[in-house]
Amino acid sequence: MSQPQQLILNVDDTDAARYARTRILTKAGLRVVEAASGTEALALARELKPALILLDVKLPDIHGMEVCSRLKADPATASCLVLQTSASYIGLADKIRALEGGADNYLFEPIEPAELVANVHALLRLAKVENALREIDRRKDEFLAILAHELRNPLVPMRNAIGILNTRAPDAPDWELRARNTISNHLDHMVRLVDDLLDVSRLSHNKLALQLRRTLVAEVIHNALESTQQLMERKRQQLQLDMADASLAVDGDEVRLAQVLINLLHNAAKFSPEGGHIYLAAQAEADKVVLTVRDEGIGIAAERLDDIFGMFAQANALGHDRQDGLGIGLSLARSLVQLHGGELTVQSAGIGQGSVFRIELPRTMPDKTASGSDLANATTETTATNATNAAASTDGAPRAGMRVLVVDDNIDIADTMKELMELLGHDVQAVYSGTRAIARAKEWVPDAVLLDIGLKDMTGHDLIRALRAEPATREIYLLACSGFSSDEDKREAYDAGVDDYLVKPVDLDTLAQLELRRPPPRARA
């Protein structure tokens, strides 16, 4: 079956010139539509999505170079190739200006018919290649999303099982506690790998949105230390924190900035010897906040300092076997810092001399209502007692005694989630399909429903809409627990009517802190 012809939009305000070009291209077997102005060209480009636009520079309403700039700036037409032509702007500077403005090629009039056809065919071949690459990229993104979901599913019951064991048998023998910690640590590592893969894909497509607000650096440090403390403790490493001014603040996404610092601290601990020292400092320099992570680890060879932030770069500078991990953490960290208007750099005296990573971020002036010393003390004390507080946070959960319906077609996930919620003091039932969930919710009228999005008999969105449509279940608190983590996935769930959205796997502490809400009494059967 022959491939459909690629469409060409021929834009020229001179009727004779436009007719001549259309005739040349049509005789060459190409499909052509015409426009006589810049305004008409922009409208037709959005409507028809031509593969190539043959664009004269001198138009009656909008300069052709401006038309090209608008085409390339509009996501709907940015992929259209533009071949600009002109009989008036024929200098080298004109050609450079057009190419820098987004044109894919630029020809001076008069143009021989054979030259015009050859250039058009060359650009159309390029268009086919670009379309093929975009399709490959689209399929890659779909694959990564499915991969992340499928990888998260087996992690959920394992993390749930660890939470159950730690809660039901906190005084187990040391060997058993060590085994649980080993499983838990590697589960966390697997989750980080999956999240990093998806974040890299989102960054490459400008789909990673930051939640910017005034953020205290002390809170970022606290969150990062919470996530890396156990690794340092296992290697008996000592962390020295230097933060004289706890009122330091930036305009940033607290979660993403903590992700950057976690990556740097995790690498510092991984590549430093047992019993080593790691130094973390935060200070103001003029209008910037500077975070520095220094270690006594393997160091970086001088010739590798420029490529250590490259995608899939591995820190095997000592000639050892390939390190664990995907080699995308530092690339992701630098990209996240740059999204905040900052810079991430590295220095090292060489192999075996340790490394110094430096984060520079634009500084936000301090909040006069906050006490810097109190924040510093709170951060230090909380970090020092993190493990104790985390274990105690599930004791006597204030929202105990609520009726919770767990919905997941993975029986292991549903059953272990049910047991976790029971450990928090709730009355819980589990069902394994959307159809059964609707029926059970009508009969039992729970206070909350924890539901998966990827159900087999119906989507979680359909389940949400069905529960919202029933008078008896309309006011129930609905929480989605899903392996799909993109902003689009979350937005679709919220549009369907979910109250909150968590990405699997969810740990016991997070479940304990959920603000479950009871529906009004009239909603109960």
Side-chain angles (χ1 to χ4, degrees):
M1 183 176 181
S2 61
Q3 295 292 324
Q5 290 177 308
Q6 292 170 290
L7 181 65
I8 297 173
L9 174 59
N10 179 19
V11 186
D12 199 310
D13 64 324
T14 303
D15 292 342
R18 190 175 64 250
Y19 170 78
R21 289 182 181 175
T22 297
R23 183 175 175 82
I24 291 169
L25 297 174
T26 303
K27 287 182 66 176
L30 299 168
R31 189 163 59 103
V32 186
V33 294
E34 297 181 348
S37 68
T39 303
E40 186 181 4
L42 291 170
L44 284 175
R46 287 186 61 86
E47 177 187 351
L48 302 176
K49 306 294 189 303
L52 184 145
I53 301 173
L54 185 60
L55 178 62
D56 187 37
V57 171
K58 198 171 182 180
L59 297 173
D61 53 347
I62 309 173
H63 195 280
M65 292 186 188
E66 174 63 20
V67 173
C68 179
S69 179
R70 293 187 191 182
L71 288 167
K72 294 299 185 178
D74 186 347
T77 57
S79 62
C80 298
L81 296 176
V82 176
L83 172 57
Q84 287 206 295
T85 65
S86 179
S88 303
Y89 299 87
I90 57 174
L92 179 60
D94 299 317
K95 183 173 185 178
I96 292 173
R97 178 185 168 200
L99 294 174
E100 289 182 343
D104 296 285
N105 201 359
Y106 191 95
L107 297 178
F108 301 136
E109 297 277 10
I111 308 170
E112 289 293 330
E115 181 185 9
L116 176 63
V117 171
N119 274 272
V120 168
H121 279 153
L123 288 175
L124 289 178
R125 288 194 296 272
L126 178 61
K128 286 183 178 180
V129 172
E130 290 186 347
N131 288 334
L133 289 175
R134 277 192 290 271
E135 177 62 17
I136 291 171
D137 210 31
R138 184 189 65 79
R139 292 184 181 183
K140 178 205 69 179
D141 290 340
E142 288 182 355
F143 169 75
L144 285 176
I146 294 171
L147 176 67
H149 181 268
E150 294 306 313
L151 287 176
R152 283 193 175 106
N153 269 341
L155 298 178
V156 176
M158 289 191 287
R159 176 170 279 182
N160 290 350
I162 291 295
I164 292 167
L165 289 171
N166 288 341
T167 305
R168 288 197 179 279
D171 299 322
D174 288 344
W175 65 265
E176 183 176 333
L177 295 177
R178 287 195 300 271
R180 294 180 196 170
N181 284 335
T182 299
I183 296 172
S184 181
N185 292 331
H186 285 276
L187 282 173
D188 291 342
H189 182 59
M190 187 67 182
V191 172
R192 282 197 304 271
L193 291 178
V194 172
D195 290 341
D196 283 354
L197 271 176
L198 290 176
D199 283 343
V200 166
S201 177
R202 291 167 189 152
L203 276 169
S204 68
H205 293 83
N206 297 316
K207 291 182 178 180
L208 199 153
L210 298 180
Q211 306 298 319
L212 297 177
R213 65 176 181 83
R214 186 179 181 279
T215 300
L216 287 170
V217 176
E219 290 298 325
V220 174
I221 290 174
H222 163 60
N223 293 337
L225 291 178
E226 273 191 329
S227 297
T228 54
Q229 179 180 342
Q230 287 188 356
L231 174 58
M232 295 180 191
E233 288 177 348
R234 287 202 308 273
K235 298 187 70 174
R236 299 187 298 279
Q237 294 165 337
Q238 296 184 23
L239 174 73
Q240 179 177 321
L241 174 61
D242 180 7
M243 185 175 185
D245 184 1
S247 67
L248 290 177
V250 297
D251 184 25
D253 185 320
E254 183 176 328
V255 173
R256 293 302 184 179
L257 290 176
Q259 182 180 356
V260 171
L261 195 52
I262 288 169
N263 181 281
L264 298 183
L265 289 171
H266 186 271
N267 281 350
K270 182 169 68 171
F271 296 117
S272 294
E274 290 199 16
H277 292 78
I278 297 169
Y279 304 88
L280 171 60
Q283 60 190 28
E285 292 184 8
D287 59 347
K288 299 181 183 297
V289 171
V290 178
L291 288 162
T292 306
V293 177
R294 179 163 59 91
D295 63 57
E296 300 173 340
I298 64 174
I300 305 170
E303 62 272 16
R304 295 213 58 206
L305 288 174
D306 291 337
D307 61 15
I308 194 67
F309 293 104
M311 190 67 68
F312 307 115
Q314 290 285 335
N316 56 348
L318 293 180
H320 298 319
D321 291 338
R322 186 180 186 275
Q323 294 287 343
D324 63 321
L326 299 174
I328 62 178
L330 287 177
S331 175
L332 176 59
R334 171 174 272 186
S335 296
L336 289 173
V337 171
Q338 290 173 341
L339 282 179
H340 284 83
E343 189 57 65
L344 172 60
T345 57
V346 62
Q347 292 180 329
S348 176
I351 300 300
Q353 302 298 310
S355 305
V356 180
F357 286 86
R358 176 184 170 94
I359 304 170
E360 293 184 8
L361 295 166
R363 184 184 181 189
T364 300
M365 288 301 100
D367 184 350
K368 300 299 184 183
T369 63
S371 169
S373 59
D374 289 346
L375 287 168
N377 292 336
T379 299
T380 303
E381 291 170 6
T382 304
T383 301
T385 59
N386 172 58
T388 303
N389 289 344
S393 64
T394 59
D395 293 340
R399 290 166 299 282
M402 300 182 72
R403 289 196 285 190
V404 179
L405 179 64
V406 174
V407 187
D408 202 304
D409 55 12
N410 185 307
I411 295 175
D412 289 336
I413 293 177
D415 289 350
T416 54
M417 183 65 76
K418 173 179 181 293
E419 188 164 355
L420 281 178
M421 297 304 292
E422 288 174 340
L423 290 173
L424 295 173
H426 301 297
D427 181 12
V428 189
Q429 293 190 14
V431 294
Y432 313 121
S433 70
T435 304
R436 183 56 186 149
I438 295 171
R440 194 70 194 100
K442 290 181 187 177
E443 299 165 359
W444 192 47
V445 191
D447 298 304
V449 177
L450 273 63
L451 59 100
D452 185 34
I453 293 296
L455 300 171
K456 289 186 174 65
D457 62 333
M458 66 172 65
T459 69
H461 307 121
D462 290 336
L463 173 58
I464 293 164
R465 284 187 281 266
L467 293 173
R468 291 296 185 218
E470 290 291 334
T473 59
R474 183 173 299 142
E475 303 298 328
I476 289 175
Y477 171 83
L478 302 181
L479 170 66
C481 295
S482 174
F484 296 112
S485 62
S486 73
D487 292 337
E488 291 84 356
D489 294 323
K490 295 174 184 177
R491 190 179 305 112
E492 190 173 358
Y494 283 116
D495 289 345
V498 76
D499 291 295
D500 284 307
Y501 194 107
L502 294 177
V503 178
K504 294 175 178 177
V506 182
D507 59 34
L508 185 60
D509 290 341
T510 302
L511 292 174
Q513 294 165 15
L514 288 175
E515 293 291 339
L516 301 182
R517 299 190 298 274
R518 294 181 188 275
R522 64 177 175 79
R524 288 190 172 278

